[in-house]
Amino acid sequence: MTHIYLDAMGGDEAPNCTVMGALEALRADKELKITLAGPIDEIEKLLGEAQDVRNRIELDDCPEIITNHDAPVMAVRQKKNSAVVKGMLLLREKKVDAFVSAGSTGATLAGGMFRLGRIEGVERPALAPLLPNGKGFFCLIDCGANVDCLPQYLPQFGVMGAAYVRLMRGIENPRVGLVNIGAEAEKGNALAKAAYPLMESAPFNFVGNIEGRDITADHADVIVSDGFSGNLIMKFMEGVADTLMGMIKKEMYADLRGKIGGLIAKPAFRRVKKQMDYTEVGGAPLLGVKGVVIKAHGSSNAHAIASAIRQAALMARKGLVDAIEKEISKQLQQ
């Protein structure tokens, strides 16, 4: 039985969406157990129709809630009865198999760093979401955990991202690229120029620089970035996807010809929308810490929460943390 610890009060629509997402995940996976963490009286009110899975639900009373307005490091130090702190400690003690939250990104990062701890040799953990590229998904690492990076961080991001894609996506020799403004090695800012030779000598299949226009062109399975640029890329892609789908929908209903064509093409549009829908993917794993941690989107609906739980369970079952530990150890021995 895989045991997931869920921050039930994390996210814009918590606790309704988090609890409903947990129930969806439990009904889809009979080998799953979930601890719902938050104020028990609020959570219990939402479990009236959960009798079919109630024996696989535990409640952890966490009256202290870390919000997006709290200073993350201070909150993790002071709010010891919060889901983030208690969940990370239980994960460190191996009493649960994974931690999932759609709450404060900063608190999740601080909890992972200071309560759970880093894998030996990892200088900075990184967030690594899977994003669509038309043929499947690529891993973008980092997308916000490390706004300011040193050159030596980036090859470690590549090592962790490659291990993640190899294990979770089944790609034996993942292509790893570096975000830059040009394909040539001498292009870019000081960080990119210094990181390039380190990426070349790192133990993965480095395919060079990846320009912005090629990010979604299936040129790499893992795209390495500093957290500042990576976060801009991720949110820009989300915005473009929403804008394009809105424009297509508007034009489909603009006139009779559009309505007829839209009706015929509707199944295809539905498939495209599903491929671009973050609620189907799950969340961004925090790679480099000593446990499976998933940071779900703050606006996650119930299905997105269920997807994040499913993703966390799969990572725990496949032993992703052990795989990353082995790859980092190899890198340090070189």
Side-chain angles (χ1 to χ4, degrees):
M1 192 76 71
T2 306
H3 192 172
I4 308 297
Y5 191 98
L6 176 64
D7 176 8
M9 302 305 292
D12 300 342
E13 304 298 327
N16 290 342
C17 282
T18 49
V19 173
M20 293 305 107
L23 298 183
E24 179 183 331
L26 287 165
R27 287 169 180 146
D29 186 346
K30 305 301 182 185
E31 296 301 316
L32 195 62
K33 179 179 179 181
I34 296 177
T35 291
L36 296 171
I40 283 185
D41 55 343
E42 290 191 45
I43 298 172
E44 284 185 326
K45 294 175 184 177
L46 302 172
L47 296 176
E49 297 182 5
Q51 292 85 355
D52 57 320
V53 293
R54 188 63 181 83
N55 64 323
R56 290 186 284 128
I57 296 175
E58 291 184 359
L59 302 182
D60 191 5
D61 191 23
C62 298
E64 295 181 309
I65 299 170
I66 299 177
T67 72
N68 289 323
H69 301 292
D70 291 321
V73 175
M74 190 64 69
V76 166
R77 287 176 178 170
Q78 295 180 344
K79 294 187 175 182
K80 297 180 180 179
N81 284 321
S82 65
V84 173
V85 173
K86 294 178 76 174
M88 293 294 183
L89 292 176
L90 288 171
L91 184 56
R92 187 178 72 184
E93 296 166 3
K94 301 189 182 303
K95 293 180 179 178
V96 297
D97 299 303
F99 173 86
V100 176
S101 177
S104 166
T105 300
T108 301
L109 297 176
M113 286 279 286
F114 303 121
R115 292 291 183 254
L116 181 55
R118 291 172 289 164
I119 291 172
E120 185 176 356
V122 171
E123 295 200 50
R124 291 290 188 278
L127 288 167
L130 292 175
L131 300 175
N133 62 7
K135 294 185 179 180
F137 296 91
F138 70 93
C139 172
L140 176 66
I141 182 170
D142 178 29
C143 76
N146 305 278
V147 176
D148 296 303
C149 286
L150 295 176
Q152 62 265 29
Y153 298 171
L154 302 190
Q156 280 203 346
F157 294 169
V159 169
M160 295 190 293
Y164 176 56
V165 168
R166 187 180 301 113
L167 195 66
M168 302 298 290
R169 304 291 299 169
I171 301 173
E172 185 58 34
N173 190 28
R175 299 162 297 168
V176 180
L178 176 65
V179 166
N180 207 334
I181 60 171
E184 299 84 2
E186 64 274 10
K187 285 288 185 72
N189 57 14
L191 174 63
K193 290 177 182 177
Y196 193 96
L198 301 178
M199 298 286 285
E200 281 188 306
S201 61
F204 47 66
N205 178 20
F206 182 53
V207 295
N209 289 329
I210 304 292
E211 296 184 73
R213 65 187 176 193
D214 294 325
I215 287 174
T216 58
D218 192 33
H219 287 186
D221 304 299
V222 178
I223 295 181
V224 174
S225 172
D226 63 277
F228 183 86
S229 301
N231 193 266
L232 286 173
I233 291 167
M234 179 183 68
K235 290 179 179 175
F236 181 73
M237 286 184 64
E238 290 175 355
V240 169
D242 288 342
T243 299
L244 284 176
M245 296 308 294
M247 290 171 62
I248 291 170
K249 187 175 181 180
K250 180 181 177 181
E251 292 302 320
M252 282 171 56
Y253 291 98
D255 52 34
L256 180 60
R257 181 178 296 178
K259 290 177 182 178
I260 294 172
L263 186 63
I264 295 170
K266 193 172 183 179
F269 287 135
R270 189 180 294 117
R271 291 192 296 271
V272 171
K273 183 179 180 181
K274 186 172 183 178
Q275 289 179 42
M276 300 177 71
D277 188 358
Y278 75 88
T279 68
E280 298 290 336
V281 177
L286 179 61
L287 303 183
V289 292
K290 293 180 180 178
V292 173
V293 175
I294 298 290
K295 172 59 182 73
H297 204 294
S299 61
S300 291
N301 58 23
H303 184 62
I305 295 295
S307 296
I309 292 169
R310 181 182 67 246
Q311 180 187 19
L314 186 60
M315 288 171 61
R317 289 165 182 166
K318 288 199 170 188
L320 179 64
V321 174
D322 290 340
I324 290 176
E325 284 182 333
K326 290 177 182 177
E327 294 301 321
I328 291 293
S329 178
K330 287 181 186 178
Q331 184 196 31
L332 294 174
Q333 290 171 10
Q334 286 191 341

